[in-house]
Amino acid sequence: MKRFCIVFAIFAVFALIGSASAGTLDDVKAKGFVQVGVNGDLFGFGKPDEKGVWKGLDVDTGRAIAAAVFGDANKVKYTPLTAVTRFTALQSGEIDVLCRNATRTLSRETALGLNFAQVNYYDGQGFLVPKSLGVKSAKELDGAAVCVLPGTTTELNVADYFRANGMKMKPVVIENTAELAKTFFAGRCDCLTSDASQLAGTRAVAPNPDDYIILPEIISKEPLAPAVRHGDDQWYDIVNFSVLAMINAEELGITSKNVDEMLNSKDPKVQRFLGVSPGNGKALGLDEKFAYNIIKQVGNYGEVFERNVGKNTPLKIERGLNALWTDGGLMYSPPFK
């Protein structure tokens, strides 16, 4: 009987944890906005501009979620978080969703109690060095002082890479992204290692970007995706399909500029996607026009990518793995039906 009571108590605790994290949609609607955790210091992904307006690929992901829930992409507030504080902020309920260039891993999905939605950027870890260092390959960095963020997959990856290649390194660990960049630009470390997208964003805000190069080696897989807490399937579905809506729209050729015209399409896939034929919205607990609102106000994935990090931005990033599957990339949406 004692053993039964203990087992019952454990299950009761897990049930309470699950119920406590459920109902995020109702909480969001009650306060009137989506609270999104972002980087805050990463150009192209999450950073206020000179007028204080938040911009970036992750910022637009948050705006897409707000458009899906409220029909208004502006009903969102941002909480800048460091690599160390990001998961705690989500676990504690300080934020509703984390859109902060976070890598989906097994331990984060299990031990940390998180669920990662559809990847919004496929990345990999690289190295940024000054041209003056005269280095052409990461395998020439033996003995280098390496700037790195703590509490990240980056920290483990770089240690593994140096060990596997018989090299030594001197880690320079700085918690804040902006301070890490300043430390690197000040010459306190020989190289900066992070996701290649973050390196591009860091280089873009350098005093002289042309003085720095990203080395050719990519040493890891970093699928970056929004994250939510375990225990609320409906909220996970909403975040997941908000990202997928942008990808699906690009597949269907629907953009922010032609979405009103596409409401008259005779294609059943387009009709279902834009809510002309009902069903998808109800299944998510949202308005039938949730996908229309995302594309009208935020854009499809291609528009979001090119606006924030694409080849015509200071980051000059090619689509690569983030191209549609039909163009050789990994972006692929399941059917909206």
Side-chain angles (χ1 to χ4, degrees):
M1 178 62 72
K2 184 176 181 180
R3 181 179 299 174
F4 172 80
C5 290
I6 293 172
V7 171
F8 180 81
I10 292 172
F11 276 108
V13 169
F14 277 106
L16 285 172
I17 292 173
S19 63
S21 60
T24 307
L25 177 61
D26 290 338
D27 293 342
V28 166
K29 285 184 174 180
K31 65 188 177 185
F33 59 88
V34 183
Q35 193 74 46
V36 180
V38 292
N39 191 304
D41 289 311
L42 184 55
F43 184 80
F45 287 84
K47 184 180 176 69
D49 65 13
E50 62 279 0
K51 296 180 180 179
V53 178
W54 283 91
K55 292 184 177 180
L57 189 144
D58 285 333
V59 167
D60 278 346
T61 300
R63 294 180 66 239
I65 297 165
V69 173
F70 294 107
D72 185 347
N74 294 319
K75 289 191 174 183
V76 57
K77 294 185 179 181
Y78 301 102
T79 299
L81 299 166
T82 67
V84 173
T85 61
R86 56 185 169 169
F87 298 127
T88 303
L90 181 58
Q91 292 165 328
S92 68
E94 179 184 348
I95 58 174
D96 303 310
V97 57
L98 179 68
C99 298
R100 191 202 175 280
N101 53 301
T103 301
R104 180 184 184 184
T105 69
L106 184 150
S107 61
R108 290 172 178 176
E109 289 247 14
T110 53
L112 293 188
L114 309 180
N115 281 335
F116 284 82
Q118 165 65 33
V119 171
N120 68 346
Y121 193 93
Y122 287 97
D123 211 345
Q125 185 173 336
F127 299 89
L128 180 68
V129 298
K131 287 182 180 179
S132 60
L133 194 64
V135 170
K136 303 298 182 184
S137 167
K139 292 183 179 178
E140 300 174 37
L141 292 172
D142 189 20
V146 181
C147 277
V148 62
L149 288 168
T152 62
T153 55
T154 305
E155 192 176 19
L156 176 61
N157 291 340
V158 70
D160 287 348
Y161 180 79
F162 272 74
R163 189 179 303 113
N165 286 281
M167 302 189 301
K168 294 183 179 180
M169 59 173 281
K170 303 170 186 175
V172 179
V173 181
I174 307 290
E175 180 177 329
N176 181 275
T177 303
E179 288 302 317
L180 187 75
K182 290 179 182 178
T183 300
F184 172 65
F185 293 139
R188 285 182 52 197
C189 44
D190 301 305
C191 77
L192 172 62
T193 186
S194 189
D195 297 341
S197 62
Q198 186 158 332
L199 298 180
T202 300
R203 182 175 62 179
V205 297
N208 188 349
D210 291 338
D211 288 346
Y212 302 90
I213 60 170
I214 298 175
L215 298 178
E217 288 86 357
I218 297 295
I219 67 171
S220 70
K221 295 185 294 184
E222 307 293 337
L224 310 180
V228 297
R229 293 178 290 278
H230 271 179
D232 191 339
D233 290 345
Q234 183 185 24
W235 185 242
Y236 168 81
D237 289 342
I238 289 170
V239 172
N240 190 43
F241 277 95
S242 292
V243 179
L244 287 168
M246 293 187 284
I247 298 170
N248 195 56
E250 188 179 8
E251 290 184 8
L252 293 172
I254 304 172
T255 70
S256 59
K257 295 179 177 60
N258 71 12
V259 66
D260 287 320
E261 179 184 346
M262 295 295 278
L263 288 171
N264 299 316
S265 171
K266 302 302 181 185
D267 187 335
K269 295 192 296 294
V270 174
Q271 291 177 341
R272 284 193 294 268
F273 177 69
L274 294 178
V276 176
S277 297
N280 287 337
K282 181 180 179 181
L284 290 169
L286 301 175
D287 188 274
E288 294 296 345
K289 291 290 185 70
F290 82 94
Y292 166 86
N293 290 328
I294 291 173
I295 308 311
K296 179 68 175 178
Q297 299 177 39
V298 183
N300 68 30
Y301 182 78
E303 291 178 286
V304 169
F305 185 98
E306 295 300 337
R307 176 168 67 239
N308 292 297
V309 303
K311 56 188 177 182
N312 293 320
T313 71
L315 276 71
K316 301 177 182 178
I317 298 176
E318 299 287 341
R319 287 291 293 269
L321 295 177
N322 295 294
L324 293 179
W325 63 284
T326 50
D327 296 324
L330 298 178
M331 287 300 175
Y332 182 104
S333 172
F336 272 62
K337 62 181 180 181

